[in-house]
Amino acid sequence: MLSLLRRRDFALLWTGGLVSVLGDWVLNAALPFFVYEETGSTVATAGMVVARLAPAVLLGSVAGVFVDRWSRKRVLVWSNLLQAGIVTLLLLVPGEGWLWVVFAVAAAQSVLASFSSPAESALLPALVDDSELVAANALNTLNNRIARLAGAPLGGALLASLGLEAVVVVDAATFVAAAALIGPIAAPRTP
């Protein structure tokens, strides 16, 4: 199973996915705490979580239809770059009066993630043989779990020690790194 990581294109996709999901979880862990720190309101915190989850629920099945018509590699590269840009808007948030920006960024990032997730899943079979697909999917699931395990505590630690700005910079950097890793993949064109 780990021999798949010796394949250049699969290893780039796997590493790019790991880095991108790590950044997602750094932000996912930090934003609810940030909102609660600023407002002291559990309702506002729940609103932030809804802003993050609702687009994925609403667009999850529709996004896959579009991804099937587009170049999956391009979708992954552009969604990561756009997510990096959108997340940096959080650097504009000076305090409680601007929390609408936090909600808007969380929702916009979730919209883009709704496209990148099916693109990654659809690109995978083009990079490995059919006989290796189960192992490749297992490795992809593993990288998502590793990223969640590492990203959540890292997000909390960054927020507590350095503030929201550090969380934003780390998250944006992971999206740019993921785009740089996925860019050189030699993926077949979508028919």
Side-chain angles (χ1 to χ4, degrees):
M1 182 160 88
L2 292 177
S3 64
L4 282 172
L5 292 173
R6 290 190 206 115
R7 290 189 167 184
R8 177 187 171 271
D9 290 336
F10 177 77
L12 289 171
L13 180 67
W14 189 86
T15 307
L18 176 67
V19 169
S20 181
V21 174
L22 177 75
D24 281 343
W25 279 93
V26 165
L27 190 69
N28 286 346
L31 276 185
F33 288 109
F34 174 77
V35 169
Y36 188 76
E37 281 180 342
E38 292 297 315
T39 65
S41 168
T42 55
V43 173
T45 305
M48 200 295 306
V49 173
V50 169
R52 177 82 176 115
L53 296 177
V57 171
L58 296 173
L59 293 175
S61 58
V62 175
V65 172
F66 288 104
V67 167
D68 284 342
R69 296 175 183 179
W70 300 333
S71 164
R72 285 127 186 169
K73 182 178 101 169
R74 283 187 184 159
V75 169
L76 284 169
V77 169
W78 281 106
S79 65
N80 275 293
L81 291 174
L82 289 171
Q83 285 181 79
I86 286 171
V87 165
T88 58
L89 293 174
L90 289 173
L91 295 174
L92 300 174
V93 178
E96 187 177 335
W98 285 62
L99 283 181
W100 65 271
V101 174
V102 175
F103 291 96
V105 166
Q109 195 215 3
S110 181
V111 166
L112 290 168
S114 294
F115 288 90
S116 64
S117 184
E120 182 179 359
S121 297
L123 181 58
L124 193 63
L127 302 180
V128 298
D129 296 331
D130 288 344
S131 62
E132 299 168 318
L133 199 52
V134 171
N137 280 322
L139 281 172
N140 253 11
T141 300
L142 176 66
N143 85 356
N144 288 332
R145 300 298 183 252
I146 291 169
R148 287 177 184 199
L149 268 172
L154 179 59
L158 282 172
L159 182 66
S161 60
L162 301 172
L164 182 64
E165 295 81 12
V167 171
V168 170
V169 169
V170 167
D171 191 25
T174 62
F175 287 130
V176 171
L181 285 163
I182 294 166
I185 292 174
R189 288 192 162 276
T190 304

